[in-house]
Structure formats: structure tokens, C-alpha cells
């Protein structure tokens, strides 16, 4: 059977550097069979698994990598430790901050409301934020695909946050200050004419989820996605009570990113490879979101002139056959990748500083077997 390989070109991602301090989780250990598997039993004839492991070793990546094709394991590999003692090895149950990979969950929440007929992506955001001066100019679609022109709130002015958020304030107090600040800004450009990665878009989208659903953002995702998909070890920064993998290095200059509420909607989710595998499967099996809706999420914003091809919480690869996202937070980094044509999926999670996650991911993708017959 003939195999062919295609070099994968990742767009440079503007990544959210956020932190998460706490989130409620249900104490249920994933079944071992859900991710276990002897890689040697799933090695294709072209020794793909060996090639992938070699790429991983050369990159000096530390963390966990999980790659499947048609549900069969191509590579399941973890290296490094989950704490600074060096005694606890990273494994499939180790929890990580996934940073900007949270955005696809926020987009999914919006699109579920669309699927249920409760809102439209063409609706102006003045419906939800009537006091906003630019609300009648910006649509939900433009928030989703980073074309609103709303500046990023995660910026410092003279070394300080330009809004009244503090470490000692509650998440609700800080979110109120952030929302007021975002809605008071002047637009960087006319909505729709340019693309600029801004976390402000996803903060507002999370608020829209709350306004339309009548539930908190966290409760909505938990009830509509995490529970149905049995993602029992996934939660949120501001209420987390589990045991995260420790960061192997901390950027002390970004301590403000640890403030309660700072990552709301744009980077607040905590998860592990087991649960994220369930999530990626839902984007190809469609138990909650329809195939049409997932397609809209991935490919609804095709603008060849943009340096970054950004759909709804998902980036589009150069071939147009796959979508992905990356995230970084101090030493934490993550990458989720789905090729819908070949049904290949990849999860990378790390709590170590080092090589850029997209560089590691690109190296691995270049060695994935892209056999179209096998994906049928």
C-alpha cells in the first residue's frame, strides 16, 4: 500500500500566556484501556512509530505525546516529571494548563448555541453589550475569527495592567474590571478588514455564552461537553482543586497572569491527554456538534491574505485538510491537531521550557502516514 508524506506548514500562532490556579474536578480515574496500548503492536510497515520517536528524541521534548490514526495508536510517549522532585513521571492522567487551546472550547460553546437556534454568528454584539460604543459594528463571527479590531486586554502599560485587577480580588471582581476595560477600548481597525489575534475576543465570547445560556461559562461547558464526553478530569483555572503538573520554570515577570479571572474564555481550561483525546474524537465523530458546525468552526474564515488562517478557535493548516491550535503559558505548552481527511490526531502537552511546541508538532506531522485508503 502506497504511503506519501506532505510537509506541514504551521502559521505563526499568537499564543495566550495565561495561568490557572484552581478548578473543581471529579475524582474519577480514566480507564487504562482508553489510552493504553503497546506501540510495537501498532507500528505500520514503514516503521512510522520508530520515525516519530526519533523526531521526538531529537527535539528533546519533555511531556506527553499521543498520536492516533483511525483510532489506532501510532505513538504514545511520555517523558519528564510532573514535579520538581523528579519522582513522579508524567503520564496520561497528568494535568496541564492548555492555555489558548481553551479557545476551541469557547468557540464550541458558541456554536452549540447556534446549532440550537439560540443565536446567530451574524448578530452584532451590541445585543449583549448595549453600552459598548463599537457594539453595533462588531459581529460574533468577527470575534470568533479574530477580525473584530478589539485590542488585546493582556497587555501592560508602563509595566502595569491598565485595569483594576489584582491577585487578592475575586475572579468575579477581576472579570468585571476586564470586561469594562475591553468594552471601553477604541478599535484597532475597521471590523472585518484585517485579522489580529486578540484574547479580548474570547473573553467576550465566554460572556455571551453566559448571557444567552443563563449559565456560567464553566457550568455550560461542563454540562454540555465535559459530562457527555466523560471528560471527568477537565476543569477551569479559577476553581481547580486537583493536582497540576508543576511548571518547570516560572516567568516571574508575568505574575499578573495568575490573577483570578485573567484567563476567562481565552485560556482557563485544565485537562490531560486522556480527556483531550475524547475531545478530539468528538470533532470527527460528532456526538454533540454536527459535522456542518465543526466544519464551520474550522474553515469559516478563509482569507488567503491573512498571515494566520484562523477559523473559530482553530487554525487551518497549509494543506487545508487539517486544523490545530497551540497554547503556551510560561513553561506550559500544548498542541492539538486533527487531520479530517486521514483521521489522524495528535496531542502534545508539556510543563517544560524548551523548543517551541509548533516546531515539535511540525516535525512529527511530517512523518505521519497520510494514506487515504486506510482512513476510509
Amino acid at each position: 500500500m502506497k504511503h506519501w508524506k506532505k510537509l506541514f506548514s504551521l502559521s505563526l500562532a499568537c499564543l495566550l500566556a495565561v495561568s490557572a490556579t484552581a478548578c473543581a474536578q471529579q475524582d474519577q480515574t480514566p480507564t487504562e484501556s482508553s489510552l493504553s496500548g503497546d506501540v510495537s503492536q501498532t507500528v505500520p510497515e514503514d516503521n512510522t512509530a520508530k520515525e516519530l520517536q526519533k523526531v521526538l528524541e531529537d527535539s528533546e521534548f519533555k511531556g506527553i505525546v499521543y498520536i492516533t490514526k483511525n483510532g489506532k495508536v501510532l505513538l504514545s510517549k511520555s517523558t519528564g516529571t510532573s514535579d520538581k522532585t523528579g519522582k513522579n513521571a508524567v503520564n496520561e492522567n497528568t494535568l496541564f494548563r492548555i492555555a489558548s487551546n481553551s479557545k476551541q472550547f469557547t468557540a464550541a460553546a458558541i456554536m452549540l448555541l447556534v446549532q440550537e437556534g439560540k443565536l446567530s454568528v451574524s448578530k452584532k454584539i451590541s445585543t449583549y453589550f448595549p453600552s459598548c460604543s463599537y457594539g453595533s459594528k462588531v459581529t460574533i463571527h468577527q470575534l470568533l475569527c479574530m477580525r473584530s479590531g478589539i485590542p488585546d486586554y493582556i497587555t501592560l502599560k508602563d509595566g502595569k495592567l491598565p485595569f483594576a485587577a489584582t491577585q487578592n480580588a475575586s475572579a468575579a471582581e477581576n472579570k468585571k474590571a476586564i470586561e469594562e476595560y475591553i468594552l471601553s477600548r477604541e478599535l484597532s481597525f475597521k471590523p472585518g478588514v484585517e485579522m489580529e489575534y486578540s484574547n479580548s475576543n474570547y473573553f467576550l465570547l465566554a460572556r455571551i455564552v453566559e448571557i444567552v445560556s443563563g449559565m456560567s461559562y464553566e457550568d455550560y461547558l461542563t454540562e454540555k461537553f465535559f459530562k457527555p464526553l466523560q471528560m471527568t478530569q477537565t476543569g477551569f483555572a479559577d476553581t481547580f482543586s486537583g493536582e497540576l503538573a508543576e511548571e518547570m520554570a516560572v516567568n516571574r515577570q508575568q505574575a499578573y497572569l495568575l490573577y483570578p479571572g485573567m484567563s476567562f474564555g481565552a485560556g482557563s481550561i485544565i485537562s490531560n491527554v486522556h480527556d483531550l483525546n475524547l475531545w478530539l474524537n468528538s470533532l470527527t465523530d460528532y456526538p454533540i456538534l454536527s459535522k456542518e458546525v465543526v466544519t464551520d468552526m474550522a474553515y469559516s474564515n478563509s482569507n488567503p491574505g491573512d498571515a494566520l488562517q484562523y477559523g473559530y478557535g482553530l487554525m487551518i493548516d497549509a494543506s487545508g485538510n487539517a486544523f490545530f491550535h497551540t497554547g503556551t503559558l510560561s513553561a506550559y505548552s500544548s498542541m492539538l491537531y486533527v487531520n479530517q481527511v486521514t483521521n489522524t490526531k495528535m496531542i502534545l502537552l508539556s510543563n517544560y521550557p524548551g523548543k517551541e511546541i509548533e516546531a515539535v508538532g511540525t516535525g512529527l506531522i511530517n512523518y505521519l502516514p497520510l494514506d487515504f485508503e486506510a482512513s476510509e
Side-chain angles (χ1 to χ4, degrees), residues 104 107-108 111-112 114-115 121 141 144-145 279-280 282-286 288-302 309-317 320-324 338-341:
Q104 62 194 271
M111 295 308 289
L112 182 57
V114 170
Q115 182 173 288
V121 295
H141 165 77
L144 286 163
C145 60
W279 168 249
L280 293 187
S282 79
L283 297 181
T284 56
D285 298 341
Y286 317 114
I288 300 173
L289 295 175
S290 70
K291 183 176 182 178
E292 287 183 335
V293 166
V294 173
T295 300
D296 280 346
M297 282 181 62
Y299 306 111
S300 57
N301 181 43
S302 180
Q309 294 296 304
Y310 203 91
Y312 291 174
L314 295 168
M315 303 176 198
I316 306 165
D317 88 323
N321 295 327
F323 53 79
F324 68 99
V338 174
N339 187 311
Q340 291 177 300
V341 174

Side-chain angles (χ1 to χ4, degrees), residues 16-19 129 131-132 134 150-156 161-167 169-186 198-207 238 256-268:
L16 171 65
V18 294
S19 184
F129 309 107
S131 64
C132 178
Y134 55 75
I150 305 172
D152 201 329
Y153 72 92
I154 304 185
T155 54
L156 296 179
L161 287 172
F163 47 84
T166 68
Q167 176 62 58
S170 67
E173 290 170 331
N174 283 342
K175 285 190 287 186
K176 183 175 184 294
I178 294 167
E179 181 176 332
E180 290 175 351
Y181 174 69
I182 292 173
L183 296 177
S184 69
R185 305 293 305 280
E186 291 186 6
S198 171
N199 295 297
S200 298
N201 294 308
Y202 278 75
F203 184 99
L204 294 182
L205 286 168
R207 284 289 295 122
D238 294 321
Y256 63 92
L257 295 171
L258 298 170
Y259 294 173
M262 281 293 291
S263 58
F264 179 69
S268 59

